[in-house]
Amino acid sequence: MAKPGQGARYRGSVHDFPNFDPSKDAEALYTAMKGFGSDKEAILDLITSRSNRQRQEIIQSYKSLYGKDLIADLKYELTGKFERLIVGLMRPLAYCDAKEIKDAISGIGTDEKCLIEILASRTNEQIHQLAAAYKDAYERDLEADVIGDTSGHFQKMLVVLLQGTREEDDVVSEDLVQQDVQDLYEAGELKWGTDEAQFIYILGNRSRQHLRLVFDEYLKTTGKPIEASIRGELSGDFEKLMLAVVKCIRSTPEYFAERLFKAMKGLGTRDNTLIRIMVSRSELDMLDIREIFRTKYEKSLYSMIKNDTSGEYKKALLKLCGGDDDAAGQFFPEAAQVAYQMWELSAVARVELRGTVRPASDFNPDADAKALRKAMKGLGTDQGTIIDIITHRSNTQRQQIRQTFKSHFGRDLMADLKSEISGDLARLILGLMMPPAHYDAKQLKKAMEGAGTDEKALIEILATRTNAEIRAINQAYKEDYHKSLEDALSSDTSGHFKRILVSLATGNREEGGEDRDQAREDAKVAAEILEIADTSGGDKTSLETRFMTILCTRSYQHLRRVFQEFVKMTNYDVEHTIKKEMSGDVRDAFVAIVQSVKNKPLFFADKLYKSMKGAGTDEKTLTRIMVSRSEIDLLNIRREFIEKYDKSLHQAIEGDTSGDFMKALLAVCGGED
C-alpha cells in the first residue's frame, strides 16, 4: 500500500488488513472458487479489504500452494463488470493503468477519454512506473504505441506528459509566473490563430504550485479563467486534454469527483470509467474525492453508487468507497476550501456574455415581411421559411418586420402567425416575436393566472433579471395588463415568499462593488438566520428581514464576498446550508439568487438540463429560457451545459424534441459544441 509522505495524512479508503496471512487468504479464495459455482461474496469481501501490496502476496501464495494463476482463476469464475473490477484490484496500479491504456488504443477507434484521464492525472513517478509496466506486460513501447494511435497537438501533449518530467520544485519564481501568463495570453487571446506549442510547453512541464499561481494571475490579468481561454482557442480532444490537465493541477480529487458523477448521472452507467477510478484512487485520495463529491453534488458518492449499480458489483464498489458521508451542507476542511476557491473564482472573473442570435448583416425588413406573408398564404404553411427568418433575426429586427408587415399588408403579423402555427412551435416563434420585457411580463402573468401558481417560473425570472430588465418588465406588465406587477404578485402569493418576490420586482439591487466590513456583517446575519453561528443576537423576525434584504438588494459583487466570508466563518457553503435549513418556495427563491450570483449561465444550463431529462419534456421552461437568453448569454449557457453534463445543449435538444419545434430550437441554440 502506498504510504503517505512525511507529515501527510493517508487519504485512501483501503488499508492494510491487520494480522494479514497470505496463505490463509489464498486458501479462502481457492475454497470460494472450488466446485460448482463460486462464492462471490467471500471473494469480494476478502479482496476489497486487503491493500494492493497484500493482494500481490496472495497471488504469490496461491501459485505456491496450488500451482495456479489466481488472476486466471478469477477471470474464469467471474463475469462482466464484477470480474473487471476484481481483476483490476488484483493488478498493481501501474499494470492496471497499462492494461487500461492498451485497451484504449487496441482495435478500431481510440478511447481518448481514458488516455486523457490517466495521463493528465498521474504524477511523474506514476508515469515512469506505467511506462515500465507497459513494456513488461506487452513488450512494447508505450510512447510509440500512443504516437501510432493519435495525431496532431493532442498527440504532442500526450507525448510531453508521457515523459514524466513535470517540474517538482515548490519554490516559485514570480517573474516566471508573470512571463508564463503573458506567453499564454499572447499565444491565445492576442494572437490570430493559436500558438499551441506555448500551451503544451507551459502546461506540460511547469510544476503544480507554479501553474496554480499562473492560473490565479491569468485570471487577474485577463479577467478570464484559463479554462475559458482554452475553450475559446483550442478544440476537440486537444481541448479536452488541456482542460483535464488544468483541473488536475487545481485539484486532482475534484477532477475525479466530477468524472465519477458524469459516469453515473443520466441513463446508463459508464462502468469502465467508474471501475477505473474506484480501483486506481482507492489507496490514494478516495476520502478527498468523497468529500468534494458531496460538496459539489449534494449527495454522497456512496449513495450514488448504491442507486446506480447492483449485485456483487455494487457491494464491491461500496466497500472501495469506504463509507457513506453525512448530510449535504456539512464540510470537511478540504471541501470548504474548494467552496471558498469557487466563490473567489466567481468574484474575480470578468466573463464576456454572448448570445447566439445576432442581427442579420444583410437585413431587409421589406423582403422578410413579403417572404413571411408568402409562407402563410394559401393552403398549408411554409413553416421552414418562418423558422429560418425569425430565428436568424435579432429582436430589434423582428420588431421592424412586424411594423413593415402591417404597413404593407394591413395585417398583424402576430395574429397571422397564431392562426398558422400551433403548439410548442407557436409558443417559441411568438415568444421570439415579442419584445423581451413584454415576453417576460407575459410569462409572469401566465405563471399567476388560473388555478395554482407556477412558482418556479416566477423565481426564475425575478431572481435572474438585471435592474434595467426588471424596470422594463414592470412597465410592460402595466401597459399590457393594466395592473402593477407588485399588485399581481401580492394577490397571488403570500408570506415570506411574497415579500421576496416583491422585493426582487422593485429592481433596486445595488450596483456598486463590495464592502468587506459590511460583507462580514452580512455573513454573520446569514449564519445566525441559518442557525449555524456560535451566537445568536436579535429576534428571528428581524434577522429574517435582514437576510432577505441582503439577498434581494446587495450587488452581485458584494454578495460573492458575503458568501466567501460565510464559508470562512462557518466552514459551510451558503447554498447547501439554505437547502438544508429552509424549505418550500422561500428556499427555492434564495437558492436561485445564490446560484445566479455564483454563475448565472450555469443556473440556466441546470434548468435546461432538468427540463429535458427523464420521461417527458418541460417545453414551457425550455422555450422560456431559449427565448429569453438567446441574445444575452445562451452561448455561455451552452459552454456550461457541455462542461457539466458532458453533452452539448444541441445534442440534448436533438434527443428530446422533434419536428419543426426541434428545428427552431436548434436554430436558436446556434450550433453544436
Side-chain angles (χ1 to χ4, degrees):
M1 179 173 69
K3 295 293 181 190
Q6 188 74 28
R9 287 182 302 149
Y10 179 67
R11 301 296 290 162
S13 56
V14 174
H15 300 259
D16 280 332
F17 188 74
N19 306 315
F20 173 61
D21 182 340
S23 296
K24 190 176 173 184
D25 285 351
E27 287 173 21
L29 288 172
Y30 182 77
T31 302
M33 292 186 282
K34 205 168 64 173
F36 185 73
S38 55
D39 185 348
K40 296 183 180 66
E41 190 94 24
I43 293 169
L44 79 87
D45 272 342
L46 193 151
I47 289 174
T48 58
S49 57
R50 305 297 187 270
S51 68
N52 193 277
R53 179 186 62 78
Q54 291 174 332
R55 293 181 204 123
Q56 304 319 305
E57 291 186 51
I58 296 169
I59 289 172
Q60 287 303 318
S61 293
Y62 194 89
K63 185 162 273 186
S64 299
L65 288 169
Y66 306 108
K68 291 160 73 82
D69 184 302
L70 175 55
I71 289 181
D73 280 4
L74 287 167
K75 281 183 176 178
Y76 181 79
E77 291 292 333
L78 309 177
T79 58
K81 297 173 286 192
F82 182 55
E83 177 220 319
R84 189 179 178 94
L85 175 61
I86 293 298
V87 169
L89 286 168
M90 295 307 299
R91 293 190 176 104
L93 176 60
Y95 284 82
C96 198
D97 280 351
K99 174 73 164 64
E100 289 292 320
I101 286 185
K102 187 73 168 68
D103 289 348
I105 57 180
S106 294
I108 299 169
T110 306
D111 183 353
E112 291 85 2
K113 287 180 180 175
C114 173
L115 290 178
I116 290 168
E117 180 197 297
I118 292 174
L119 297 181
S121 66
R122 301 312 193 242
T123 64
N124 286 346
E125 185 183 357
Q126 288 166 344
I127 291 287
H128 296 151
Q129 290 170 351
L130 161 61
Y134 193 91
K135 187 84 170 173
D136 180 51
Y138 306 111
E139 298 180 350
R140 298 177 66 88
D141 181 69
L142 175 57
E143 184 181 321
D145 281 1
V146 167
I147 288 171
D149 214 64
T150 57
S151 61
H153 297 299
F154 177 58
Q155 177 199 85
K156 289 173 189 169
M157 184 61 177
L158 290 176
V159 169
V160 168
L161 294 172
L162 277 168
Q163 304 316 299
T165 53
R166 184 178 296 287
E167 295 160 5
E168 294 181 328
D169 190 355
D170 281 341
V171 178
V172 177
S173 160
E174 289 184 21
D175 290 342
L176 187 56
V177 167
Q178 293 298 336
Q179 185 61 54
D180 283 350
V181 168
Q182 193 59 36
D183 288 348
L184 286 170
Y185 192 43
E186 288 175 0
E189 299 285 341
L190 296 183
K191 189 178 177 69
W192 180 261
T194 306
D195 182 358
E196 289 87 353
Q198 279 286 24
F199 279 87
I200 290 170
Y201 177 73
I202 293 170
L203 293 182
N205 289 284
R206 298 287 192 240
S207 73
R208 288 169 177 269
Q209 188 59 31
H210 176 90
L211 285 173
R212 286 179 189 129
L213 292 175
V214 168
F215 300 159
D216 290 345
E217 285 303 313
Y218 190 91
L219 181 61
K220 289 175 190 171
T221 302
T222 68
K224 280 185 173 183
I226 187 71
E227 292 91 338
S229 291
I230 288 171
R231 287 191 195 100
E233 299 298 326
L234 311 180
S235 62
D237 292 323
F238 181 46
E239 175 197 344
K240 290 171 188 166
L241 173 58
M242 297 307 255
L243 287 172
V245 169
V246 170
K247 284 176 183 173
C248 288
I249 294 296
R250 289 194 187 278
S251 169
T252 304
E254 186 172 4
Y255 170 72
F256 282 114
E258 185 180 303
R259 292 279 295 156
L260 284 167
F261 178 75
K262 288 179 176 176
M264 291 182 281
K265 72 175 176 62
L267 291 172
T269 304
R270 296 173 192 177
D271 293 292
N272 286 357
T273 301
L274 178 56
I275 291 167
R276 185 169 59 243
I277 297 172
M278 295 302 290
V279 168
S280 66
R281 310 315 291 186
S282 60
E283 295 184 40
L284 295 173
D285 52 6
M286 185 58 71
L287 298 185
D288 293 328
I289 292 168
R290 272 170 43 184
E291 289 172 12
I292 291 167
F293 192 98
R294 185 184 59 185
T295 303
K296 285 190 76 164
Y297 304 113
E298 304 165 47
K299 64 178 82 176
S300 67
L301 175 59
Y302 188 97
S303 67
M304 198 158 183
I305 291 170
K306 193 174 178 181
N307 292 330
D308 213 65
T309 59
S310 61
E312 281 86 9
Y313 175 53
K314 174 173 80 173
K315 289 175 187 173
L317 287 170
L318 292 177
K319 292 262 285 183
L320 293 179
C321 182
D324 201 354
D325 296 308
D326 298 332
Q330 298 184 28
F331 283 45
F332 287 94
E334 290 86 349
Q337 189 179 3
V338 169
Y340 185 86
Q341 288 167 347
M342 187 170 58
W343 282 114
E344 179 67 30
L345 192 67
S346 177
V348 294
R350 297 191 300 275
V351 178
E352 180 191 358
L353 298 179
R354 292 175 62 192
T356 53
V357 174
R358 299 175 185 85
S361 54
D362 53 351
F363 178 56
N364 183 336
D366 188 65
D368 285 349
K370 287 175 180 172
L372 286 169
R373 176 70 181 135
K374 184 180 177 185
M376 294 185 284
K377 262 176 80 174
L379 285 171
T381 305
D382 181 357
Q383 294 185 342
T385 295
I386 294 171
I387 291 167
D388 189 52
I389 292 173
I390 290 173
T391 59
H392 292 94
R393 305 295 183 270
S394 68
N395 195 276
T396 302
Q397 290 175 334
R398 293 183 206 120
Q399 304 318 309
Q400 290 178 252
I401 295 169
R402 281 179 73 174
Q403 191 56 55
T404 304
F405 196 90
K406 184 163 272 187
S407 299
H408 274 350
F409 307 113
R411 301 171 67 89
D412 183 335
L413 176 55
M414 294 286 280
D416 280 8
L417 286 168
K418 271 183 191 174
S419 69
E420 293 294 328
I421 55 177
S422 60
D424 295 326
L425 178 64
R427 268 195 294 272
L428 178 62
I429 294 297
L430 292 168
L432 289 167
M433 289 304 302
M434 295 178 74
H438 289 266
Y439 179 72
D440 278 347
K442 183 175 183 182
Q443 297 308 302
L444 290 168
K445 180 76 164 63
K446 280 182 169 294
M448 292 183 280
E449 67 186 8
T453 303
D454 184 351
E455 291 86 2
K456 286 191 168 99
L458 296 179
I459 292 167
E460 178 204 301
I461 294 169
L462 295 174
T464 60
R465 301 310 192 248
T466 65
N467 285 345
E469 288 166 343
I470 291 285
R471 287 193 281 270
I473 291 168
N474 274 291
Q475 191 177 336
Y477 199 95
K478 185 83 172 173
E479 195 178 306
D480 293 345
Y481 307 113
H482 313 293
K483 182 178 185 178
S484 76
L485 176 57
E486 183 180 332
D487 287 346
L489 290 167
S490 296
S491 61
D492 206 67
T493 57
S494 60
H496 286 304
F497 184 54
K498 176 180 85 174
R499 291 169 61 206
I500 294 164
L501 295 182
V502 168
S503 178
L504 292 171
T506 60
N508 284 327
R509 186 176 291 285
E510 295 162 5
E511 295 183 338
E514 65 185 65
D515 177 335
R516 292 222 172 195
D517 291 336
Q518 185 61 56
R520 280 188 282 273
E521 283 301 309
D522 289 347
K524 189 178 175 188
V525 170
E528 289 178 359
I529 194 64
L530 294 169
E531 298 180 345
I532 53 172
D534 292 332
T535 59
S536 182
D539 73 288
K540 186 150 185 178
T541 305
S542 169
L543 282 170
E544 284 172 349
T545 302
R546 286 174 66 191
F547 186 55
M548 184 192 78
T549 301
I550 291 164
L551 287 184
C552 295
T553 67
R554 300 283 197 259
S555 72
Y556 272 28
Q557 191 174 337
H558 179 83
L559 283 173
R560 290 184 184 109
R561 184 62 61 191
V562 172
F563 301 151
Q564 269 191 295
E565 293 296 330
F566 184 90
V567 176
K568 279 169 68 177
M569 191 179 293
T570 67
N571 218 28
Y572 287 60
D573 179 71
V574 70
E575 180 186 336
H576 296 162
T577 309
I578 289 169
K579 286 177 177 173
K580 185 167 179 267
E581 298 296 333
M582 296 186 160
S583 61
D585 298 328
V586 170
R587 175 200 60 203
D588 294 345
F590 283 156
V591 166
I593 294 168
V594 172
Q595 289 177 340
S596 186
V597 170
K598 186 186 292 182
N599 184 336
K600 197 179 288 186
L602 179 57
F603 169 80
F604 284 115
D606 285 340
K607 287 274 182 191
L608 285 170
Y609 178 76
K610 285 171 185 169
S611 75
M612 291 182 279
K613 76 166 189 172
T617 306
D618 179 358
E619 289 88 357
K620 288 181 182 176
T621 299
L622 175 58
T623 300
R624 185 172 61 243
I625 295 173
M626 295 296 287
V627 168
S628 64
R629 310 315 294 182
S630 59
E631 293 185 48
I632 299 173
D633 55 2
L634 190 52
L635 191 61
N636 306 81
I637 292 167
R638 269 171 41 186
R639 286 173 180 164
E640 295 292 349
F641 194 99
I642 195 168
E643 171 66 20
K644 181 162 182 181
Y645 298 109
D646 218 23
K647 69 173 173 181
S648 67
L649 177 58
H650 188 282
Q651 287 171 321
I653 290 168
E654 212 168 30
D656 213 66
T657 60
S658 60
D660 288 323
F661 179 51
M662 178 186 76
K663 289 176 190 169
L665 284 171
L666 292 178
V668 174
C669 181
E672 171 68 288
D673 294 301

